[in-house]
Amino acid sequence: YWKDTKRSGLIFCIINLIFVLLKFCEYSAVTLFCSLLLLFLGTSYAFITLAKLRGQPHPFESRWNSTDFNIPPELMERHVQTGLRIREIIRLKVRDLMYWKENSESIKACVVCFVLRLIGNLISGLVLVYLLFLVAFIWPLVYQQKKVEIDSLLQKLIDFSKSKFDQLMDKLPPSIKQKLE
């Protein structure tokens, strides 16, 4: 994204505007979509009418007729296959977690779900989606600029969590430890 800062900034502003309208102005997604569509239709009508009054050709016709919006079937099939592979990977992982094939993985999933549940109780779904967008939008640039510091902090966090997990495992009775391993 950040190679073209104008385009990135425009996308960022549009999504921030949509969030503000949905969250604080209490628009529904349908109302927002229809309002934007009406705005685009009204603007295009004004441009077409102005062009006709001036005796100019249709301003959009040549551009839209020469643009090919078709998605090649091979590309579409590749994306569908990728989606199906991702769905299958998720299904197998959830199955393994539900069958408790690896107890430690299932316990980790329980902890993650519990933490996400707590976060969900504190913050609304729309705000969580916005925060995820914000992190996903800004993270590549921040990581590119601060790669060494982020990698070292992440390694420290991993080492710390492993040491705490090992301490917790040492406190468990041997019979429970065997079942978890």
Side-chain angles (χ1 to χ4, degrees), residues 161-172:
S161 62
K162 281 184 182 179
S163 69
K164 290 298 179 185
F165 184 75
D166 290 341
Q167 288 175 2
L168 179 66
M169 291 299 284
D170 290 340
K171 292 180 182 179
L172 292 176

Side-chain angles (χ1 to χ4, degrees), residues 140-151:
L141 181 64
V142 171
Y143 185 72
Q144 191 176 35
Q145 292 174 350
K146 309 270 184 192
K147 185 176 181 171
V148 175
E149 294 94 343
I150 291 171
D151 287 343

Side-chain angles (χ1 to χ4, degrees), residues 129-161:
V129 169
Y130 177 72
L131 289 174
L132 288 174
F133 158 74
L134 194 63
V135 168
F137 195 83
I138 294 174
W139 180 254
L141 181 64
V142 171
Y143 185 72
Q144 191 176 35
Q145 292 174 350
K146 309 270 184 192
K147 185 176 181 171
V148 175
E149 294 94 343
I150 291 171
D151 287 343
S152 67
L153 285 173
L154 186 61
Q155 188 59 45
K156 287 179 186 177
L157 179 66
I158 290 170
D159 294 340
F160 178 76
S161 62

Side-chain angles (χ1 to χ4, degrees), residues 27-42:
Y27 275 74
S28 71
V30 173
T31 304
L32 184 61
F33 175 75
C34 290
S35 297
L36 288 173
L37 187 59
L38 280 171
L39 176 72
F40 291 140
L41 287 171

Side-chain angles (χ1 to χ4, degrees), residues 68-76 79:
D68 187 19
F69 285 113
N70 294 330
I71 298 173
E74 300 83 26
L75 180 65
M76 189 65 176
H79 287 305

Side-chain angles (χ1 to χ4, degrees), residues 48-77:
I48 292 168
T49 304
L50 185 64
K52 283 182 181 177
L53 289 174
R54 290 183 176 175
Q56 296 174 343
H58 195 288
F60 304 124
E61 198 168 16
S62 62
R63 175 178 280 176
W64 291 104
N65 286 341
S66 65
T67 304
D68 187 19
F69 285 113
N70 294 330
I71 298 173
E74 300 83 26
L75 180 65
M76 189 65 176
E77 184 177 329

